[in-house]
Amino acid sequence: AAASSGGIVAYAGSKFDNTAEQTQVAQKKKMVVLGTGWAGTAFLKNLDYSLYDVKVISPRNYFTFTPLLPSVTCGTVEPRSIVEPIRKIIGKKGEEIDYWEADCYKINTVGKKVLCRSKIGTNLDGTGEFVVDYDYLVIAVGAQVNTFNTPGVMEHCHFLKEIEDARRIRRSVIDCFEKASLPYLDEEERKKNLHFVIVGGGPTGVEFAAELHDFVAEDLTKLYPAIQDLVKISVIQSGEHILTMFDQRIAEFAEAKFQRDGIDVRTGYRVVKISDNSITMKCKSTGETSEPYGMAVWSAGVGTRPVIVDVMKQIGQENRRVLTTDEWLRVCGCDGIYAIGDCATISQRKVMEDISAIFKFADKDNSGTLTVKEIQDIFEDLCIRYPQLELYLKSKHMSDIADLIRDAKGGDVEKGSMQLDIDELKIALAHVDSQVKSLPATAQVAAQQGQYLAQCFNSMRDCEEHPTGPLRLRDSGRHRFRPFQYKHFGQFAPLGGEQAAAELPGDWISIGHGSQWLWYSVYASKQVSWRTRVLVISDWLRRFIFGRDTSC
Ligand code: FAD
Ligand code: MG
Ligand code: MG
Ligand code: MG
Ligand code: MG
């Protein structure tokens, strides 16, 4: 059927001649992995390839260390230093694994096939298209930029998502300075060319603005002294503040620092149109204004890739923004499909939906009431299955189960009646589900999900042979089929001038030069290989000694 479907050639079996090997491969379940970003790479690094027949499909044959992309835009770090070939990453284990450089443009969730298209070469029918069957599909294609259909963005703005984007921005910044230096321009024209606009006050936009400011202040003013006073950097943010995903103290510090640095932060402005030389924005109080600009970078909003939109239509998730999975990262509404990273979100099961089952499970002696001990016994499992429970206790400053019981009973309770019946349990847990939070679209989440899913696949056979019930998460000391649990290690916002803001677990905030050093060490340690680690560190040293490279 696949062969006749519009010139698409089915991928025909294994490449082994040896029959013994062929049967062995045939026995293995076919796994297809889409994407080699944070989620896909973490998955592949942790997967035991000997258990599955793995095919990796992604349009980029390398992994990009995205947190350092803003550094590439100004030559602080070289592009080569933050990418690592995927074949090197997955080839390390010496196992047989196939990678194909292609886009997946359609997923057939019923027939369990992915339809792919390669841009680098064509097959006999001249299309470069092929079909791959799967038993298990791991979708890790990430997100794409969202222009919110703002006219002119696609044509005139830079994005900052891929390594090529960072390269283009770097060239464009220098071009703007050279253009502004040409002999036949008047002052207005020079100013226009040196107006750099960043749309979006999230971490990426803010970091890029800070990098650009440092680049101009530390390197370019020396090379272009005549025009240095004409440079202007603007950050346009539709909300009231920049860096809203950070603690308020960090946002305030960033805004104050940018003001001192002369970066124009315009909050409450929405960009409505961009032409080749002017940018139009709207503000509630002052209405519409247009301004000339030399270069614009769009870093506002994440959008869904078309292939994901199509899958969501097939499985009845069309009213969602990203693919919805359960807590084991299985895509809801279809079979054998898993989704990790920015293209997916976890739909956390509510405590209230399972309240009767929880009660029955906990009430070991069938007394119709739960004692503190009975609750205690299942409490750890409950917190793993329903992470909102722990968040709720924290938000209410409750330290133990006795607090929860007292709260449900409305005050002090005698020792003898420290018990809950089903209705009281319902009251005790009534507001727990309001603490359900969706995870942010970050590398940290994506990498942890990739690692977790690989561990699930590595132990799947074991788990199938020793199944555990939905509430039995720990079984004879072994942890099986635990739902995914995110562990937040904190987040950074580099703000330029060798200063950074860090938000660490336990509401720990630190801002300044010390945090910048923490940032250097964390990002050096997070590199995927020793090669990139050495390159990144030597790029930083080179920058300290010689400044940034301005030729490109
Ligand atoms: P990606 O890493 O985007 O990977 C998607 C992969 O899928 C890519 O290999 C892509 O080529 C491939 N692909 C795309 N379409 C298809 C298709 N049709 N078929 C097959 N393959 C496809 N997060 C942090 O935690 N800390 C930071 O400091 C940080 N800084 C950032 C700075 C920048 C400039 C950017 C852009 C992002 C930053 N992030 C940061 C966010 C982080 O990069 C993302 O959350 C993360 O990349 C998500 O991982 P992913 O695997 O879901 O997607
Ligand atoms: Mg990925
Ligand atoms: Mg990536
Ligand atoms: Mg996600
Ligand atoms: Mg009981």
Side-chain angles (χ1 to χ4, degrees):
S4 62
S5 63
I8 295 164
V9 181
Y11 169 72
S14 98
K15 59 184 176 194
F16 294 106
D17 296 321
N18 185 310
T19 20
E21 257 179 316
Q22 212 161 21
T23 41
Q24 205 200 345
V25 169
Q27 276 169 0
K28 284 186 192 171
K29 290 265 172 82
K30 294 190 284 282
M31 176 187 288
V32 172
V33 181
L34 301 178
T36 52
W38 276 98
T41 302
F43 178 78
L44 291 166
K45 272 180 101 168
N46 289 283
L47 183 71
D48 179 356
Y49 301 138
S50 65
L51 301 174
Y52 302 92
D53 175 18
V54 187
K55 315 273 183 238
V56 182
I57 297 160
S58 172
R60 297 191 210 303
N61 67 353
Y62 52 82
F63 164 81
T64 309
F65 193 86
T66 50
L68 289 180
L69 271 179
S71 305
V72 172
T73 59
C74 298
T76 307
V77 169
E78 291 298 320
R80 292 228 162 269
S81 310
I82 65 162
V83 298
E84 182 75 355
I86 195 68
R87 289 181 185 276
K88 251 189 173 164
I89 296 173
I90 58 184
K92 275 192 190 125
K93 303 189 177 175
E95 300 273 354
E96 194 65 43
I97 185 157
D98 289 311
Y99 164 78
W100 293 314
E101 185 168 321
D103 267 293
C104 165
Y105 67 93
K106 192 173 171 67
I107 297 167
N108 176 345
T109 57
V110 179
K112 294 197 160 188
K113 292 175 199 313
V114 291
L115 283 64
C116 305
R117 188 181 294 134
S118 168
K119 285 201 189 87
I120 48 172
T122 52
N123 52 9
L124 286 178
D125 60 20
T127 59
E129 291 178 355
F130 56 96
V131 179
V132 188
D133 293 324
Y134 65 82
D135 296 308
Y136 300 117
L137 176 65
V138 177
I139 306 180
V141 296
Q144 64 181 33
V145 290
N146 192 350
T147 65
F148 306 105
N149 293 321
T150 312
V153 174
M154 274 297 175
E155 298 84 344
H156 305 298
C157 283
H158 287 278
F159 300 109
L160 184 46
K161 194 104 178 68
E162 308 283 349
I163 200 88
E164 295 93 346
D165 297 331
R167 275 206 180 102
R168 270 194 293 267
I169 290 174
R170 182 173 171 185
R171 217 172 306 130
S172 174
V173 171
I174 303 291
D175 280 351
C176 286
F177 273 83
E178 291 299 353
K179 258 194 242 165
S181 308
L182 288 170
Y184 47 80
L185 294 190
D186 62 21
E187 172 125 343
E188 278 312 300
E189 287 279 318
R190 290 188 216 283
K191 269 192 176 162
K192 166 192 168 296
N193 276 308
L194 294 173
H195 185 201
F196 300 94
V197 177
I198 295 130
V199 186
T204 305
V206 166
E207 192 179 339
F208 171 63
E211 270 284 340
L212 184 62
H213 170 266
D214 285 2
F215 187 29
V216 172
E218 293 165 15
D219 303 285
L220 292 176
T221 46
K222 288 182 211 142
L223 301 177
Y224 303 88
I227 51 172
Q228 55 168 315
D229 296 331
L230 307 179
V231 180
K232 183 175 164 192
I233 300 172
S234 305
V235 176
I236 300 168
Q237 161 75 338
S238 54
E240 288 306 302
H241 289 282
I242 58 173
L243 294 180
T244 45
M245 63 293 298
F246 282 86
D247 188 278
Q248 201 187 335
R249 284 166 282 175
I250 291 178
E252 278 165 11
F253 180 88
E255 282 172 11
K257 176 165 192 309
F258 276 14
Q259 199 176 6
R260 282 197 304 277
D261 288 346
I263 298 173
D264 181 24
V265 178
R266 263 188 256 175
T267 53
Y269 278 87
R270 200 163 49 84
V271 172
V272 289
K273 198 176 80 195
I274 295 182
S275 73
D276 59 349
N277 52 33
S278 86
I279 183 160
T280 310
M281 48 201 143
K282 230 181 185 159
C283 169
K284 271 209 190 96
S285 51
T286 57
E288 224 172 83
T289 50
S290 275
E291 260 186 58
Y293 74 94
M295 189 189 103
V297 173
W298 183 271
S299 75
V302 272
T304 317
R305 292 196 189 278
V307 62
I308 300 297
V309 173
D310 180 68
V311 170
M312 297 198 317
K313 263 190 211 135
Q314 290 180 46
I315 61 175
Q317 292 190 2
E318 52 269 84
N319 47 2
R320 303 249 180 186
R321 203 180 54 77
V322 283
L323 271 176
T324 302
T325 70
D326 65 12
E327 300 89 332
W328 287 266
L329 311 181
R330 300 175 289 201
V331 176
C332 307
C334 56
D335 180 40
I337 305 186
Y338 301 74
I340 49 182
D342 285 2
C343 65
T345 188
I346 297 171
S347 154
Q348 174 59 47
R349 204 172 161 84
K350 307 281 192 303
V351 172
M352 274 304 146
E353 286 172 39
D354 297 338
I355 195 88
S356 314
I358 292 170
F359 187 88
K360 237 166 111 190
F361 186 80
D363 190 14
K364 290 273 159 13
D365 60 358
N366 278 320
S367 64
T369 56
L370 300 185
T371 60
V372 174
K373 166 112 192 12
E374 275 173 330
I375 302 176
Q376 199 93 58
D377 282 346
I378 64 154
F379 198 70
E380 202 183 317
D381 282 352
L382 272 186
C383 285
I384 294 171
R385 183 69 187 88
Y386 310 95
Q388 63 265 43
L389 184 52
E390 216 168 337
L391 295 174
Y392 177 76
L393 294 187
K394 219 187 255 166
S395 75
K396 287 286 203 177
H397 304 289
M398 293 181 182
S399 55
D400 58 11
I401 289 154
D403 283 348
L404 195 70
I405 295 181
R406 273 185 222 111
D407 185 59
K409 297 210 168 201
D412 267 339
V413 186
E414 283 169 43
K415 200 135 198 287
S417 52
M418 280 296 266
Q419 310 199 337
L420 294 179
D421 62 23
I422 177 86
D423 292 322
E424 286 165 336
L425 184 71
K426 278 183 192 164
I427 294 169
L429 303 180
H431 301 293
V432 169
D433 292 323
S434 66
Q435 294 290 327
V436 171
K437 282 204 181 71
S438 56
L439 298 174
T442 62
Q444 216 178 130
V445 172
Q448 288 181 30
Q449 290 185 333
Q451 187 182 4
Y452 163 83
L453 191 62
Q455 283 159 358
C456 289
F457 273 110
N458 292 347
S459 57
M460 190 179 276
R461 194 184 298 157
D462 189 32
C463 290
E464 274 166 1
E465 282 162 12
H466 309 94
T468 53
L471 284 167
R472 276 248 130 243
L473 296 164
R474 285 164 305 131
D475 183 35
S476 58
R478 286 204 275 186
H479 295 269
R480 299 203 178 98
F481 271 150
R482 266 171 175 242
F484 171 71
Q485 276 176 291
Y486 172 59
K487 188 157 173 14
H488 186 60
F489 291 107
Q491 51 188 356
F492 285 101
L495 299 172
E498 294 300 307
Q499 297 196 57
E503 198 178 315
L504 301 169
D507 292 327
W508 224 80
I509 303 277
S510 103
I511 304 174
H513 299 283
S515 309
Q516 181 72 25
W517 284 101
L518 190 62
W519 182 89
Y520 280 126
S521 55
V522 167
Y523 282 107
S525 74
K526 292 277 173 206
Q527 293 300 316
V528 277
S529 73
W530 274 101
R531 185 192 67 88
T532 57
R533 188 168 300 132
V534 168
L535 287 177
V536 163
I537 293 172
S538 51
D539 284 346
W540 286 335
L541 286 174
R542 176 183 47 73
R543 209 270 297 166
F544 271 114
I545 301 168
F546 301 109
R548 296 171 184 82
D549 197 350
T550 52
S551 57
C552 51

